[in-house]
Amino acid sequence: MPTSFLAALSEEQRERSWREALESGRISVALAYSGEELAGWVAYGKCRDTDKDASWGEIEAIYLHPSRYGLGIGTSLMQYARKSLSTMGYSGVSLWVLTANVRARKFYELAGFSTDENTKEFELGGTVLGEIRYQRTLTG
């Protein structure tokens, strides 16, 4: 993410946005701890893409503290989100990832996701970023 975008983030605005999303039930969030420290989290819910029907869920975000990479925590978060989405009645799951984020793309591919080649671009903090969509079934 561009440094200018991160520097301009409002803690109050982000808190309000997250509170509204959680209280409305639009998304669910699972947290992973390592001892007493938050190691990562995943947000998931109904797919927001207009070309997907009601059988699709979405992993909106997954973040892991860099010091926790390679410990299986991200895999556990991903498995938890997929199981929860399946329990909610979804049969497929999609996610968007920054095209340039090679590490994340490899992680998703190892988790059984593949790209459907849909892409989009958006501007953030004066920088144009590209995303590519990945998807997989929730069975198997």
Side-chain angles (χ1 to χ4, degrees):
M1 292 290 147
T3 306
S4 59
F5 169 77
L6 296 174
L9 285 175
S10 161
E11 217 174 290
E12 293 80 18
Q13 184 180 20
R14 296 294 296 160
E15 180 182 342
R16 184 173 42 257
S17 175
W18 275 103
R19 184 177 309 282
E20 289 171 4
L22 290 166
E23 289 176 352
S24 72
R26 187 182 68 73
I27 61 168
S28 297
V29 174
L31 307 176
Y33 286 88
S34 179
E36 297 289 319
E37 294 183 11
L38 181 63
W41 57 273
V42 61
Y44 55 93
K46 179 182 180 284
C47 185
R48 298 170 292 170
D49 296 332
T50 57
D51 65 330
K52 297 288 187 188
D53 65 26
S55 69
W56 284 87
E58 179 179 0
I59 294 176
E60 290 191 27
I62 181 169
Y63 289 98
L64 192 63
H65 191 278
S67 69
R68 303 296 191 237
Y69 289 171
L71 301 177
I73 297 168
T75 299
S76 293
L77 283 168
M78 182 65 72
Q79 289 170 342
Y80 183 88
R82 288 189 355 237
K83 182 177 179 183
S84 294
L85 288 165
S86 180
T87 299
M88 293 172 172
Y90 298 108
S91 59
V93 60
S94 68
L95 58 85
W96 289 91
V97 60
L98 292 173
T99 307
N101 191 339
V102 176
R103 181 184 190 98
R105 292 178 67 173
K106 182 178 178 182
F107 172 75
Y108 298 134
E109 290 165 7
L110 288 170
F113 286 81
S114 60
T115 180
D116 66 3
E117 301 300 327
N118 277 292
T119 61
K120 60 184 175 182
E121 289 186 337
F122 61 97
E123 183 181 337
L124 202 60
T127 301
V128 176
L129 300 170
E131 286 185 313
I132 189 164
R133 185 169 63 188
Y134 278 71
Q135 62 187 23
R136 67 162 287 167
T137 63
L138 288 172
T139 57

